Amino acid sequence: MEKRLFTSECVTNGHPDKVADNISDAILDACLAQDPGSRVACETMVTTNFCLICGEITTKAVVDYPAVAREAIRRIGYVYPDAGFDADTVEIQCRIHTQSADIALGTNDEVGGAGDQGMMFGGACTQTPELMPLPAALSRALSNRLTECVASNDLLRPDGKTQVTVEYDKDGKVVGIDTVVVSIMHSAAFEIEELRKYIRQGVIAPVLKNYGFSIDDVRHIHINPTGNFVIGGPNGDTGLTGRKIIVDTYGGYFSHGGGAFSGKDPTKVDRSGAYMARYMAKNLVAAGLAKQVQVQLAYAIGVAEPVSVRVDSYGTGKISDEDMTALLRKTCDLTPAGIIRKLNLRQPIYAATAFEGHFGVADRPWEQTDLASVLKELSGI
């Protein structure tokens, strides 16, 4: 039987790029909490005990950006002076100005156009209960479990990475787990073999069990394969907002349009369009119209309606891809304003997406399957 391997990775909140994402989204939430109409495009850079916050923010909110950043860093767990990046001592500088007047002309509430051109993708499949690809779901679950362990174990530090390789048969059915890789920053006092035992029993085994697998069935497991991981986080590598776009979506299993999410208010279709594409793809799969679906949207700056909508069911659809596309066009308002209304996106919900993940989390508005029954009825299947 022909088999193939597919690998996805994820990172913890203490990874330098995720630290930057968390700060940017925390600032976005702080603005939206006071002014739901805030226009935010916040970019963050972090390095050894230094944080630079830049971007375009137009808001009526009064926000202490450094204070918000420090609280985000503290929540992540950088509270150790020996980590080289500490919530209380990090130097923070801000370079923020208002949104370009030219962009505002085409994206104000009267015009309601997209905040930029671009294409967005959303995907769903039947590999997991949350309708996510298994490699992406497992690597995300491992990272989130690491975050829980960091909060309860003083010998662990926030920076970490996970990676999962899943084996499929020629028909795309999951056969098993080939490889699991986990790397986690730690105190010098945590002896490496004890760390590996702790991660194997406390992280990998329970996560695999939740998805119906046994750790004994995994062919290869690598835990901190280079040995000690004491120097990490922003002290070990510079972090930037928006550098983990594949981690933020489907682990490479579905396509990505290239636009990052964090730090952007919902008038930016890089974010809201990708969320809507996930919503539509998930509802098509939940309706039983296909086992695997990818939805593409594309927009022109300042234009409200998408320039294209496309469904690809990879040959798994019970109706044609063209018919599924027509159903989405009929049932969904795909203008930026329509997406914002449908998914209730003008609320401070974004820090949680940077912290826990954007997709596959049940309480996200774009993860709801309320459209599935409508799509099924209209399809006639």
Side-chain angles (χ1 to χ4, degrees), residues 12 119 128 153 225 280 293 313 342:
T12 64
M119 66 282 194
T128 65
N153 190 323
M280 293 189 293
V293 166
S313 64
K342 171 61 182 176

Side-chain angles (χ1 to χ4, degrees), residues 145-304:
R145 176 58 186 154
L146 282 176
T147 295
E148 294 173 358
C149 291
V150 168
S152 62
N153 190 323
D154 288 340
L155 294 178
L156 295 178
R157 300 293 182 261
D159 190 3
K161 278 189 173 184
T162 63
Q163 186 172 285
V164 177
T165 301
V166 172
E167 183 177 359
Y168 296 87
D169 66 17
K170 63 181 180 65
D171 297 319
K173 182 180 179 180
V174 173
V175 175
I177 311 299
D178 184 83
T179 305
V180 173
V181 183
V182 175
S183 295
I184 184 67
M185 185 183 175
H186 59 92
S187 163
F190 208 154
E191 199 273 329
I192 187 63
E193 290 308 319
E194 285 300 312
L195 170 69
R196 286 170 174 160
K197 181 179 178 181
Y198 176 90
I199 296 300
R200 185 181 180 93
Q201 296 178 351
V203 176
I204 300 175
V207 167
L208 290 178
K209 184 178 180 180
N210 285 341
Y211 283 86
F213 298 95
S214 167
I215 191 171
D216 296 326
D217 297 330
V218 181
R219 293 190 182 91
H220 310 285
I221 296 177
H222 303 286
I223 302 170
N224 281 32
T226 61
N228 285 340
F229 183 7
V230 174
I231 300 172
N235 188 41
D237 193 11
T238 298
L240 297 170
T241 299
R243 274 208 305 203
K244 286 293 174 282
I245 58 176
I246 300 303
V247 165
D248 284 346
T249 51
Y250 309 97
Y253 197 90
F254 294 115
S255 299
H256 196 295
F261 301 157
S262 289
K264 297 177 180 178
D265 75 81
T267 65
K268 280 73 171 174
V269 285
D270 277 344
R271 184 168 216 162
S272 55
Y275 289 170
M276 190 63 178
R278 163 65 176 171
Y279 172 79
M280 293 189 293
K282 186 173 183 180
N283 276 272
L284 286 170
V285 173
L289 300 187
K291 292 182 178 180
Q292 182 168 308
V293 166
Q294 176 174 279
V295 175
Q296 183 195 38
L297 298 174
Y299 291 87
I301 187 170
V303 179

Side-chain angles (χ1 to χ4, degrees), residues 112-123:
D116 201 354
Q117 68 178 48
M119 66 282 194
M120 305 86 217
F121 292 90

Side-chain angles (χ1 to χ4, degrees), residues 7 16 27 48 50 52 55 84 119 122 138 157 200 226 237 298 326 330 353:
T7 302
I27 288 173
T48 302
F50 178 78
L52 176 63
M119 66 282 194
L138 279 175
R157 300 293 182 261
R200 185 181 180 93
T226 61
D237 193 11
K330 183 176 183 178
T353 64

Side-chain angles (χ1 to χ4, degrees), residues 87-106:
D88 292 323
T89 62
V90 60
E91 177 188 354
I92 299 177
Q93 294 185 13
C94 296
R95 298 290 186 272
I96 293 171
H97 55 85
T98 58
Q99 184 184 57
S100 160
D102 292 339
I103 294 176
L105 284 173

